[in-house]
Amino acid sequence: MQFMKILEAVNVHKYFPLDIFGRKKIRAVDDVSVYVTPSETLAIVGESGSGKTTLGRILSGLIKPDKGKILYKGYGFNGFHGKVQMVFQNPDSSLDPSWQIYDIVSEATNNKSLESVAEALETVGLNPAYVTKYPYELSGGEKQRVAIARAIATEPEVIILDEPVSALDASIRAQILNLLLDLQEKKGYTYVLIDHDLGRVWHISDRVVVMYAGKVVEEGKTEEVFQNPKHPYTMMLLSASTSSIPKPKIHVDIQGELPSLIDPPSGCRFRTRCPFAQEKCKTEEPQLYSTSSEHKVACHLFEKF
């Protein structure tokens, strides 16, 4: 029996023009395909500028791809969809400071009763009396709980989590992560987690997609990718992490910077930073090769690793 893809991006592209004539464009997401299955947590990782946040916004329907398509349960998905919601990194910028908590949580739902909003607040561990408060009256952790309450108020099936705890104090991060895991266990939510912290990804995700310069360079089950990385960029990220995660057999130091997404390198986009690059890497773009049933890597040299 074939597994079900609840949300899927198929060959999506997103370019952002730098001038009114569109002569120069930032190739933020460039021919990317990813999917997530029901009740799993898919993590998307990479450096700033890798395209992971843009991909998350495409998956949520907040922005439309220039090419390619988004499928929800196999059907075309365009624009806002109550079954796919998003929680943003910084609640200070995602919550309207002039709105009461009631208005924020009830905004996207058809059921605007006070009881339904109070229930959503209780579900995320907040006092229902908070319905009359404003965001400035809440702590950072409480604001993010409100953002989560807003997301679950529409009874979604998929929630895109864009760095959901990165803007919070370290003492609060574990509380919010535990809340998200508890909600997933009780409600069966599917998560797409966008994060730079590989420790969090290691502990809470089922599968991981590694992005570099707008491309997917490696994907698979988190345990397999972390313990047996096949792409030098993945090795570099794992080598640089200070979290308690598996370290790669081949240590790759950070060198160079992310290339221009206006005019990316020919061939493999990572070749300008890769210590193993060969002539073929300059001239031929690697496709995603399957190293196992659920592990893929875009590297000409993966068999050597």
Side-chain angles (χ1 to χ4, degrees):
M1 181 178 178
Q2 189 176 14
F3 61 85
M4 174 184 173
K5 300 175 182 179
I6 189 169
L7 187 64
E8 182 179 13
V10 182
N11 302 118
V12 296
H13 300 69
K14 187 62 186 181
Y15 297 172
F16 294 102
L18 290 178
D19 57 59
I20 60 174
F21 302 105
R23 289 173 295 194
K24 291 186 176 181
K25 297 179 180 180
I26 297 175
R27 301 167 70 168
V29 173
D30 208 356
D31 194 15
V32 167
S33 297
V34 298
Y35 68 88
V36 61
T37 60
S39 300
E40 80 166 346
T41 297
L42 171 71
I44 303 175
V45 303
E47 296 169 287
S48 296
S50 64
K52 60 185 186 296
T53 292
T54 300
L55 179 59
R57 289 172 179 260
I58 292 172
L59 287 168
S60 72
L62 287 176
I63 59 176
K64 293 183 179 180
D66 298 322
K67 292 170 60 179
K69 56 187 176 181
I70 303 298
L71 302 177
Y72 174 75
K73 294 185 176 180
Y75 295 94
F77 169 59
N78 294 305
F80 177 80
H81 194 305
K83 293 299 181 182
V84 180
Q85 289 292 326
M86 190 163 188
V87 175
F88 298 92
Q89 176 178 349
N90 189 348
D92 286 324
S93 60
S94 67
L95 303 181
D96 191 323
S98 66
W99 284 19
Q100 290 184 321
I101 302 306
Y102 164 80
D103 299 311
I104 291 171
V105 175
S106 65
E107 176 188 12
T109 179
N110 293 324
N111 185 358
K112 298 185 182 298
S113 69
L114 186 61
E115 292 77 10
S116 65
V117 173
E119 181 181 352
L121 292 178
E122 282 189 302
T123 300
V124 299
L126 291 177
N127 190 320
Y130 275 33
V131 291
T132 59
K133 289 183 177 290
Y134 290 88
Y136 69 84
E137 298 179 274
L138 308 182
S139 68
E142 288 174 330
K143 291 175 190 175
Q144 197 64 317
R145 288 175 187 267
V146 170
I148 296 169
R150 175 176 60 184
I152 68 173
T154 63
E155 299 183 353
E157 293 190 53
V158 182
I159 302 178
I160 315 294
L161 302 168
D162 185 9
E163 303 267 7
V165 299
S166 295
L168 304 178
D169 292 339
S171 60
I172 305 298
R173 291 174 188 169
Q175 296 178 22
I176 299 301
L177 284 176
N178 288 335
L179 169 64
L180 290 169
L181 292 173
D182 184 57
L183 289 173
Q184 186 178 45
E185 183 177 353
K186 291 178 179 178
K187 304 285 188 177
Y189 294 137
T190 299
Y191 289 152
V192 177
L193 173 68
I194 300 162
D195 212 322
H196 70 278
D197 188 311
L198 298 185
R200 285 195 288 268
V201 169
W202 168 250
H203 288 295
I204 70 175
S205 70
D206 301 298
R207 289 190 303 114
V208 62
V209 167
V210 183
M211 290 191 67
Y212 180 78
K215 292 277 190 179
V216 172
V217 297
E218 190 160 7
E219 64 177 283
K221 288 188 176 295
T222 302
E223 184 176 359
E224 183 172 352
V225 171
F226 275 48
Q227 293 183 341
N228 189 27
K230 292 295 185 180
H231 198 285
Y233 179 60
T234 308
M235 297 176 195
M236 188 185 83
L237 293 178
L238 293 169
S239 298
S241 176
T242 58
S243 301
S244 298
I245 59 174
K247 296 302 179 183
K249 298 175 184 177
I250 302 175
H251 182 92
V252 177
D253 290 323
I254 294 178
Q255 52 186 332
E257 297 180 351
L258 200 72
S260 169
L261 296 183
I262 300 171
D263 185 23
S266 61
C268 174
R269 294 187 181 184
F270 187 62
R271 67 172 175 81
T272 56
R273 302 172 71 186
C274 181
F276 311 107
Q278 298 181 2
E279 189 63 29
K280 182 179 183 180
C281 305
K282 296 180 181 180
T283 59
E284 186 177 330
E285 181 179 348
Q287 303 303 307
L288 279 169
Y289 302 101
S290 294
T291 67
S292 67
S293 61
E294 293 189 58
H295 191 175
K296 296 181 179 180
V297 60
C299 179
H300 295 305
L301 310 173
F302 76 92
E303 290 179 331
K304 296 185 178 182
F305 307 132

